[in-house]
Amino acid sequence: MTVPCKGELKVMVLNINAGHNEELMEQCRMLKEYAQYVARVRGYAGSMKLEEAVRRAIRECITEGILTDFLRKNRAEVEMVSILEYDKEYEEKKLR
């Protein structure tokens, strides 16, 4: 979707959630793997504490070759950011 903003800016928004924009995902492996990681966190967060869901998703992704190098090198930061971002997203949805 392209949205004009006072004639100065056009923005294209793409849905990068798992199951969307498959052609783009096939062209960018890192983006596809990120979407897979996020989908796992969201799926697990429905049945366990968020911290546990994030850690489980990270462990599984590393084991299955999804974002392996990045997650190994940045595990603590990924955990922290994932938890903070997911909580923020959840709180914003509740406010709407």
Side-chain angles (χ1 to χ4, degrees), residues 11-96:
V11 178
M12 180 182 287
V13 178
L14 300 172
N15 186 342
I16 60 165
N17 289 298
H20 298 276
N21 286 300
E22 292 296 326
E23 186 178 335
L24 174 63
M25 297 298 191
E26 292 306 318
Q27 293 175 12
C28 183
R29 184 176 142 238
M30 178 96 44
L31 187 59
K32 180 179 182 177
E33 291 180 5
Y34 174 74
Q36 292 170 333
Y37 164 74
V38 170
R40 285 176 192 237
V41 171
R42 287 180 177 154
Y44 296 143
S47 62
M48 60 182 69
K49 290 183 180 181
L50 180 57
E51 294 84 358
E52 186 180 339
V54 168
R55 290 185 186 110
R56 180 175 176 181
I58 290 172
R59 276 193 315 271
E60 288 181 3
C61 285
I62 290 172
T63 300
E64 296 174 26
I66 299 168
L67 295 176
T68 304
D69 292 337
F70 181 81
L71 291 173
R72 282 187 178 142
K73 291 177 188 172
N74 303 288
R75 185 180 207 135
E77 183 179 4
V78 170
E79 283 183 23
M80 183 183 69
V81 170
S82 295
I83 291 166
L84 291 175
E85 284 299 311
Y86 192 84
D87 278 347
K88 180 181 174 189
E89 179 182 312
Y90 175 73
E91 291 301 321
E92 288 175 351
K93 283 182 182 177
K94 283 195 324 190
L95 289 173
R96 287 186 225 135

